[in-house]
Amino acid sequence: MHFQIPRGTQDILPAESNKWQALEQTLRHFCSLYDFKEIRTPIFEHTNVFKRENDSSDMVNKEMYTFQLENSNTSLTLRPEGTAGVVRSFVEHKMYASPDLPVKMYYMGEMARHERPQKGRLRLFHQFGVESLGTKSPLADVEVITLAFSILKALGLEEIKVLINTLGDDESRAAYRNALRDYFAPYFDSLCADCKRRYEQNPLRILDCKIDHDLECVKNAPKMSDYLNENSKNYFKTVLKTLDRLGIPYQVEDTLVRGLDYYTHTVFEIVSINEKMGSQSTVLAGGRYDGLISYFGGPKEMSGIGWALGMERLIIALEAEGINLNEEDALDCFVMVLDQEAREYAFEVLTEIRAHGYRADMDYQSRSFKAQFKAADRKKAKTAILIGSSEMESGSVTVKLLDRKEQTTLPADELVSYLDVHLEEEEEHHHHHEEE
């Protein structure tokens, strides 16, 4: 029988997981600087958490993995995105009653969407995102954008830009929706099937259509900016003015509407302008949402803002710019067994040095001395600890400093303090070389 991974999924192998951990560490570090704390929600939720009434987004209409267990009326859905579950949790645990708002959280984990797999787009993929819930302030918008921009810069991305737009408040959007319906009415027959549905549900999404975007009528559609009320204009002005103050480069992009229906006011994307990224150039995207907290039963006027990035796509963007996160950790010690009867003694020595915080391993295959040396080299070991029957009998070990070809035999109980001195020296020795 022949077992294979399902289409649109991938294994992250041990050789690759290093870079994932390096990336996760950077993400966690920046969130802690900005005082965002981690939340972990379930990988599936009740379907109505994601399938909200009258939602026109493709994700909800076409791409969700929804299932029902036998003899159960409960419909569950694997999470296709992170925000809904986080907001559900925020309301369920009454976090909105916190004396300190906004409540600032981040999440990372797997999401599932049933769409056609392609480069940078999997059916089971990893998302990292932040949510700042409970306060409506242009500074909260700027805070999450700055956090996003700082993370990408710290990872080394140079070829990125922030695209930003405003969708205004409910009043502005209602006016704009009516204008779009009036405008598209005479062109209705030339729209694709999805856009015909969007015309009723949410005509803003017509502007985002992959199929119709080249139609003359879509290109000449009225602009959101002409329908903003004073309040929405001023809000957006403050966001842009603050970004200017911080020197964050952005471009106001009036066609940016984002793929989910719950956004209001500020929406943004950070895109890679590296040509290797092709059409999948969006690295990170987000926006403010006013109706979502009250949808889940939270306070009416409460607002939130957040963004998310696809980790797989971020790794592709880093690789496109030649940034390698895959720093292989060198082993401190590799224990070599010279005589098979000394195996258990060697294992005891190995366990002892690990207990003192050194990364160490040994040969389990009874290989030749030469083969063990090659293994130590592949693992970039700094020291080799040679153990044969003579070492076993005298309770000693032979230590070889691999980069300096020095070799010493000493009692086993002095090994740890010897490593403490010599591995520290080597660190200094190494840094000294780097500085030269």
Side-chain angles (χ1 to χ4, degrees), residues 316-379:
I316 292 172
L318 289 164
E319 284 167 356
E321 286 196 30
I323 297 159
N324 181 19
L325 296 169
N326 214 355
E327 281 299 306
E328 189 56 60
D329 280 344
L331 267 193
D332 293 314
C333 316
F334 191 77
V335 175
M336 302 193 178
V337 187
L338 309 183
D339 305 307
Q340 288 320 305
E341 59 269 28
R343 275 194 102 67
E344 285 79 10
Y345 170 61
F347 187 70
E348 198 183 332
V349 172
L350 169 68
T351 305
E352 181 66 16
I353 49 187
R354 284 172 170 169
H356 282 86
Y358 286 106
R359 296 189 64 237
D361 207 351
M362 72 181 263
D363 176 65
Y364 292 95
Q365 294 170 273
S366 316
R367 287 181 290 191
S368 72
F369 188 57
K370 194 175 155 195
Q372 293 186 55
F373 248 112
K374 283 187 173 152
D377 190 47
R378 281 192 298 273
K379 290 175 182 289

Side-chain angles (χ1 to χ4, degrees), residues 261-276:
D261 280 1
Y262 48 64
Y263 288 116
T264 51
H265 289 289
T266 314
V267 287
F268 57 92
E269 289 186 359
I270 300 184
V271 297
S272 164
I273 45 184
N274 183 299
E275 71 285 350
K276 290 186 201 145

Side-chain angles (χ1 to χ4, degrees), residues 13-253:
L13 301 176
E16 294 287 293
S17 59
N18 251 41
K19 64 171 128 180
W20 281 78
Q21 290 171 2
L23 179 54
E24 287 159 11
Q25 209 177 332
T26 302
L27 293 165
R28 289 184 193 280
H29 171 68
F30 272 88
C31 284
S32 118
L33 293 181
Y34 278 62
D35 198 25
F36 280 72
K37 297 188 168 66
E38 186 176 19
I39 180 170
R40 302 186 185 196
T41 64
I43 192 157
F44 55 78
E45 297 263 2
H46 289 295
T47 299
N48 64 0
V49 168
F50 305 112
K51 209 173 179 67
R52 295 175 291 275
E53 60 266 9
N54 196 25
D55 193 323
S56 72
S57 57
D58 287 348
M59 182 185 81
V60 169
N61 285 295
K62 301 196 272 205
E63 295 166 2
M64 300 204 312
Y65 283 95
T66 297
F67 58 96
Q68 246 164 326
L69 299 179
E70 278 184 67
N71 340 328
S72 153
N73 296 325
T74 310
S75 171
L76 299 170
T77 293
L78 292 180
R79 58 185 185 195
E81 50 99 12
T83 302
V86 173
V87 176
R88 189 260 320 137
S89 179
F90 172 81
V91 174
E92 189 169 333
H93 298 283
K94 300 192 171 52
M95 292 187 226
Y96 50 75
S98 161
D100 298 311
L101 293 172
V103 172
K104 301 195 293 187
M105 298 181 273
Y106 71 89
Y107 60 85
M108 54 171 90
E110 282 195 293
M111 309 287 161
R113 293 185 195 175
H114 188 84
E115 50 185 342
R116 224 190 59 193
Q118 59 193 79
K119 182 185 165 168
R121 175 175 286 174
L122 291 158
R123 290 177 170 177
L124 211 55
F125 59 98
H126 293 79
Q127 213 174 51
F128 173 89
V130 307
E131 311 292 347
S132 170
L133 301 172
T135 321
K136 185 167 187 172
S137 147
L139 289 187
D141 300 30
V142 174
E143 179 180 41
V144 298
I145 294 171
T146 309
L147 171 56
F149 191 73
S150 308
I151 286 170
L152 298 182
K153 279 302 205 200
L155 287 167
L157 285 180
E158 290 297 326
E159 302 173 50
I160 52 173
K161 64 178 177 185
V162 179
L163 305 180
I164 191 166
N165 190 23
T166 178
L167 301 178
D169 56 15
D170 288 343
E171 184 187 45
S172 306
R173 266 223 318 291
Y176 185 45
R177 267 202 294 266
N178 292 335
L180 285 177
R181 279 200 192 99
D182 293 346
Y183 170 79
F184 279 115
Y187 303 107
F188 186 79
D189 292 337
S190 60
L191 298 176
C192 73
D194 280 329
C195 282
K196 289 183 168 132
R197 167 173 61 78
R198 292 168 184 146
Y199 177 86
E200 285 311 327
Q201 274 187 320
N202 181 3
L204 268 78
R205 295 295 320 283
I206 299 175
L207 307 177
D208 200 27
C209 180
K210 306 271 182 291
I211 300 169
D212 288 346
H213 69 89
D214 288 332
L215 293 179
E216 249 349 87
C217 67
V218 173
K219 289 182 181 161
N220 300 327
K223 300 267 182 268
M224 177 77 225
S225 48
D226 299 332
Y227 295 87
L228 293 176
N229 57 21
E230 277 314 296
N231 180 12
S232 299
K233 274 187 192 146
N234 291 334
Y235 191 96
F236 194 48
K237 224 177 255 165
T238 309
V239 169
L240 299 184
K241 204 168 66 196
T242 315
L243 288 171
D244 288 337
R245 268 186 101 131
L246 300 177
I248 291 177
Y250 61 83
Q251 190 178 315
V252 177
E253 189 73 57

